Amino acid sequence: MHSSDSLPIQHNLDLKPYNSFGVSVIAKQFCSVTDADMLPAVFDHARSKNLPVLVLGGGSNMLLVDDFPGLVIHIRLGGVQCNKSSGLVKAGAGEGWHQLVLKCMNNRLHGLENLALIPGSAGAAPIQNIGAYGVELNQFVHSVGVYDNNRGVFNRLNGEECQFAYRDSLFKREDGAGLIITDIILQLHRDWQPNISYQTLKEQLGTDSPDHQQVFEAVCRIRTSKLPDPKKLGNAGSFFKNPVITLVKYQQLQQDLPQLPAFPATSENEVKIPAGHLLDELGWRGRKHGGAAVHNSHALVLVNAGNANGREIYELSCEMRRSVLDRFDIDLQTEVTILP
Ligand code: EPU
């Protein structure tokens, strides 16, 4: 058992290295958690000092707008165990997502190839149910280990209990507010067939029967050609979700935008449309606001083009959102979590 007194608390720490936008904000207190058993004491400490709490993983899907007047809990729980015969893979929440994909492939456990190069930690992956090139994480989630801060207990939730949806899960909602992810267990397979349903991926591959390595390499090529590397140019991937609209609304939009693509949504009466197309139509690509900019190769990605602060990135996103609402009557929802 850990006590509050023995916690490695740092004071007035700049969070610049801890968020992929690379914006500088100061956390009043900061504590790296390297052992799940530290969590009860960390929360006790925050309660006793009356500090609000921010749980941070890889910081790759978060926009920090202002200094944080509370305790940042940085999840650094490591460890990966691959069981080759059952296909079950357990990863500590602080493991890097891409490293996990590589480790699974090296153990000949497949399914995650399409999710290669997604920035962030394994523990953050279920929060927004990461997805790319026709595959979503929820297809592989066996269970998620959590510390339930409301009840002060450790628990394990199965896939259904996580309530996964498009870039959404229980962990993003009020019901899941007190749940801190400590590990994930994925069910992978040795004989998994590659998924090449995504058109761009199919075109990039040039074969209908690729092996896992070819899919992995093609996904890496597409991502690196379109999406900026956060280590070189601060960003958090897609800033907005792709909107889900009714078929009727889609037909109306097509009169204005005949080239607008549509992808299947959960309901038959709805489709998902690329927000990047709407933003391109409004000429957002490459536009700047202070140190913030819209990426030159992808209108859905906001970047820190040089010493941007969180407010500039936030203001730019508000302008983009407003222009889409004015022109297309669609209110884009952010994919990135904005704080405060
Ligand atoms: N498009 C444009 N202009 C742009 C960008 C895109 O017109 O500047 C249109 C094109 O029609 C293109 C279509 O959007 O064919 C789809 O573009 P892309 O394949 O780049 O995918 P996306 O819909 O923009 C989504 C995810 C990405 C994921 C890719 C591939 C969301 C919010 N984003 O982007 O996820 O990598 O599909 O599956 O669902 C992320 O979540 O951070 C992320 C990068």
Side-chain angles (χ1 to χ4, degrees):
M1 227 25 208
H2 291 260
S3 77
S4 312
D5 301 339
S6 61
L7 294 173
I9 306 271
Q10 292 172 268
H11 295 266
N12 299 319
L13 193 82
D14 189 345
L15 295 180
K16 191 169 177 158
Y18 298 98
N19 72 98
S20 65
F21 267 121
V23 295
S24 196
V25 298
I26 305 297
K28 186 171 181 187
Q29 295 195 10
F30 182 96
C31 181
S32 277
V33 170
T34 47
D35 174 353
D37 288 341
M38 290 167 70
L39 284 166
V42 173
F43 279 98
D44 279 351
H45 168 78
R47 261 189 298 272
S48 70
K49 304 277 182 221
N50 223 358
L51 295 168
V53 161
L54 165 63
V55 180
L56 198 62
S60 60
N61 202 45
M62 193 166 271
L63 176 61
L64 302 166
V65 179
D66 282 320
D67 289 345
F68 185 66
L71 171 69
V72 171
I73 301 178
H74 185 220
I75 303 294
R76 283 186 52 203
L77 303 169
V80 177
Q81 293 142 29
C82 293
N83 185 322
K84 286 190 195 183
S85 52
S86 68
L88 289 173
V89 176
K90 182 175 185 182
E95 289 290 332
W97 174 259
H98 183 67
Q99 281 66 38
L100 178 61
V101 173
L102 290 173
K103 204 165 258 186
C104 294
M105 287 177 69
N106 289 339
N107 280 282
R108 299 189 193 288
L109 292 175
H110 299 296
L112 303 183
E113 290 76 8
N114 301 48
L115 305 178
L117 280 189
I118 294 184
S121 61
I127 299 178
Q128 56 153 343
N129 186 20
I130 57 171
Y133 310 107
V135 169
E136 276 186 346
L137 180 79
N138 64 288
Q139 292 171 244
F140 304 101
V141 173
H142 168 279
S143 59
V144 173
V146 295
Y147 173 64
D148 181 342
N149 179 44
N150 300 323
R151 295 191 290 148
V153 293
F154 288 91
N155 198 0
R156 183 160 286 286
L157 306 180
N158 65 29
E160 200 177 318
E161 288 167 320
C162 295
Q163 299 172 30
F164 291 117
Y166 166 57
R167 293 299 190 278
D168 195 27
S169 72
L170 169 70
F171 308 107
K172 272 192 160 183
R173 303 190 204 121
E174 209 153 306
D175 286 0
L179 301 177
I180 318 307
I181 297 176
T182 54
D183 69 73
I184 59 173
I185 298 183
L186 303 178
Q187 173 70 71
L188 301 182
H189 307 271
R190 290 180 81 92
D191 56 356
W192 188 257
Q193 291 310 306
N195 178 333
I196 54 166
S197 57
Y198 202 82
Q199 191 57 28
T200 319
L201 179 58
K202 208 179 280 177
E203 286 161 14
Q204 176 69 228
L205 276 161
T207 163
D208 285 342
S209 48
D211 62 25
H212 296 101
Q213 186 64 26
Q214 285 171 312
V215 173
F216 170 81
E217 285 169 12
V219 166
C220 291
R221 276 199 303 278
I222 300 171
R223 281 195 86 90
T224 44
S225 69
K226 276 194 182 184
L227 299 167
D229 177 352
K231 290 198 196 86
K232 297 184 186 140
L233 188 64
N235 75 90
S238 302
F239 196 91
F240 298 102
K241 289 187 198 177
N242 284 329
V244 174
I245 58 172
T246 62
L247 272 173
V248 174
K249 173 81 183 169
Y250 177 63
Q251 279 148 10
Q252 283 166 4
L253 278 174
Q254 271 186 313
Q255 302 189 351
D256 189 8
L257 306 170
Q259 307 294 325
L260 180 68
F263 302 98
T266 325
S267 146
E268 272 180 21
N269 301 323
E270 293 179 322
V271 286
K272 199 193 283 174
I273 58 165
H277 192 103
L278 306 179
L279 292 163
D280 253 357
E281 186 64 24
L282 292 160
W284 277 106
R285 223 190 269 202
R287 277 168 66 179
K288 291 193 164 62
H289 173 66
V294 182
H295 189 44
N296 283 325
S297 320
H298 206 299
L300 200 51
V301 179
L302 296 188
V303 297
N304 179 349
N307 275 327
N309 58 44
R311 190 147 297 280
E312 288 168 338
I313 298 171
Y314 177 63
E315 285 167 358
L316 178 59
S317 76
C318 292
E319 280 303 307
M320 295 165 81
R321 190 172 171 182
R322 196 169 308 136
S323 72
V324 171
L325 186 62
D326 287 351
R327 165 88 181 267
F328 302 113
D329 197 24
I330 291 177
D331 191 9
L332 293 181
Q333 301 302 305
T334 54
E335 208 243 277
V336 167
T337 302
I338 298 175
L339 278 160

